[in-house]
Amino acid sequence: SKLISPQMIGSSESSAFPEFYSFPPFFTLQPVSLTREKQLKLWSELILSFQKFRNEPNFAWRTSPIWENRHIGRKMSESGKEKIVRELISRGNAEWKEQSKISVLLYWESPKETASKLYKWVEDNFLKGNVLTVYELHKGEDMKETEFFGMDEIVLRKAIDILEKENKAAVLKGSTCDEDGVKFF
């Protein structure tokens, strides 16, 4: 279920977010494990929905405005933020971008799922045996109507790496990253 709709982004109204976002205990990690598990799941889904709608897979988790609801005067603690980010990572929806752990790269779906969808698109469009550049796959004119258009290049490359390991694709190095080619088998 979608937690964020187009009308929500840019709105300062707390009513633009799901109802639970206005529930003060949502901003304090709950001591009862079953309740905390549900809370961590809701936070994870909220962050993924919010960032996906913004098409922003890079999540600066320490400074994101999502952690504070000014309408109810509540915000998540630093330890709570870290626990939620670690939950995203353990679910396979994120990974640290750097050793300093300032931000994470979010995956709306696992790289394996993205790889499967990409390969299905290749099959559906009879592109096996063809070479497409990485640029074409996420910025090309023919991709505008696909879910791959505008996809973060790191996310796309992770999917391509999986296809390469499955012997469904091979990366051909170009003179620049965007010129790298991908031949699908």
Side-chain angles (χ1 to χ4, degrees):
S1 67
K2 290 205 173 204
L3 298 173
I4 305 289
S5 71
Q7 297 77 21
M8 296 176 188
I9 305 304
S11 170
S12 61
E13 294 298 314
S14 62
S15 62
F17 286 88
E19 238 181 274
F20 60 79
Y21 190 73
S22 292
F23 186 55
F26 184 63
F27 290 84
T28 303
L29 285 183
Q30 297 303 298
V32 177
S33 65
L34 196 58
T35 306
R36 187 175 49 254
E37 284 174 29
K38 182 165 176 73
Q39 180 186 27
L40 292 172
K41 182 178 185 282
L42 287 172
W43 266 112
S44 296
E45 291 171 355
L46 178 66
I47 290 165
L48 288 169
S49 294
F50 183 70
Q51 295 293 114
K52 182 178 183 179
F53 184 81
R54 297 171 67 207
N55 197 23
E56 183 51 65
N58 299 304
F59 182 53
W61 66 276
R62 292 183 194 272
T63 58
S64 175
I66 202 163
W67 301 117
E68 182 175 5
N69 184 335
R70 291 187 177 139
H71 294 278
I72 61 169
R74 297 300 302 260
K75 66 181 178 179
M76 181 56 70
S77 68
E78 291 301 312
S79 63
K81 292 177 191 179
E82 188 169 347
K83 181 95 171 147
I84 293 162
V85 169
R86 290 190 184 284
E87 174 71 12
L88 281 162
I89 292 168
S90 74
R91 291 169 43 138
N93 290 113
E95 67 180 48
W96 296 114
K97 285 194 66 173
E98 65 282 304
Q99 282 187 321
S100 60
K101 298 183 178 180
I102 292 172
S103 61
V104 293
L105 178 65
L106 297 174
Y107 301 109
W108 323 137
E109 57 195 10
S110 75
K112 179 102 173 124
E113 290 171 306
T114 302
S116 294
K117 287 181 176 183
L118 178 59
Y119 196 71
K120 182 177 180 344
W121 179 84
V122 166
E123 289 179 319
D124 291 350
N125 288 280
F126 308 101
L127 295 171
K128 279 186 178 179
N130 290 348
V131 176
L132 298 168
T133 65
V134 171
Y135 179 88
E136 287 175 301
L137 287 171
H138 72 109
K139 293 181 183 171
E141 195 66 33
D142 293 341
M143 302 304 282
K144 282 197 174 173
E145 300 303 315
T146 73
E147 66 185 285
F148 309 108
F149 186 77
M151 181 177 279
D152 184 85
E153 186 177 336
I154 295 170
V155 174
L156 178 63
R157 283 185 178 271
K158 284 196 177 286
I160 292 168
D161 288 346
I162 289 168
L163 293 175
E164 196 169 29
K165 286 178 184 141
E166 294 175 347
N167 296 316
K168 293 180 177 178
V171 175
L172 311 167
K173 294 292 176 197
S175 53
T176 67
C177 289
D178 274 345
E179 290 177 3
D180 284 354
V182 183
K183 183 170 185 170
F184 295 96
F185 308 114

